[in-house]
Every structure is written in C-alpha cells, then in structure tokens.
Amino acid sequence: MSSSCSILIQGMTCNACVDRIERCAKKEDGISDIKVSLAEGKAEVKFDEGKTSPDKIASFVEDLGFSCQVAK
C-alpha cells in the first residue's frame, strides 16, 4: 500500500546534498518517489508500507551523513 511522509533533514548545504539523497533513495526498496527541498530542509517521500516505513527512511538518510527525523 502506498503512503507518504515528510522527513526533516539537517546538514544539507548545497544541491549536491539534495541530489545525493534523491539518487540514493530511489535505489532503496520501497521508496517510489522522493522530493528533497534544500530551502525547507525536508523531503517528501512516497513509499510502499509493505516494504519500508518512515522511521526506516529517516535512518537511511542518517546513514548518508545527515541528521533527520520524521515530521509529526
């Protein structure tokens, strides 16, 4: 089942950060789409609930070297 969530991301400094997160996330199983906003410091993510969760997505982004949390 498809869902969406917002992930708040800290530590992005340029468009290369945005590109890296988007490029890597699109390779992750369960993430169907991601749009990262440098100006807003967040990502809007569409994902398959059967394959991943907002917490797993946030953990994946942290593994790339950024601080993040699921927006409530």
Side-chain angles (χ1 to χ4, degrees):
M1 175 160 216
S2 184
S3 287
S4 62
C5 67
S6 295
I7 306 290
L8 304 175
I9 305 171
Q10 295 178 326
M12 296 186 295
T13 58
C14 62
N15 285 329
C17 296
V18 171
D19 292 342
R20 180 169 179 237
I21 294 169
E22 289 181 344
R23 186 179 65 253
C24 292
K26 288 177 182 172
K27 296 177 184 175
E28 284 293 298
D29 192 33
I31 298 177
S32 58
D33 192 39
I34 182 168
K35 300 282 189 252
V36 179
S37 171
L38 177 62
E40 295 180 19
K42 71 177 184 176
E44 297 295 331
V45 187
K46 291 182 183 175
F47 65 97
D48 182 335
E49 289 179 5
K51 296 182 178 180
T52 193
S53 68
D55 287 335
K56 286 182 183 177
I57 296 166
S59 179
F60 159 76
V61 175
E62 286 184 340
D63 289 346
L64 294 175
F66 304 93
S67 298
C68 63
Q69 64 185 25
V70 178
K72 302 293 180 194

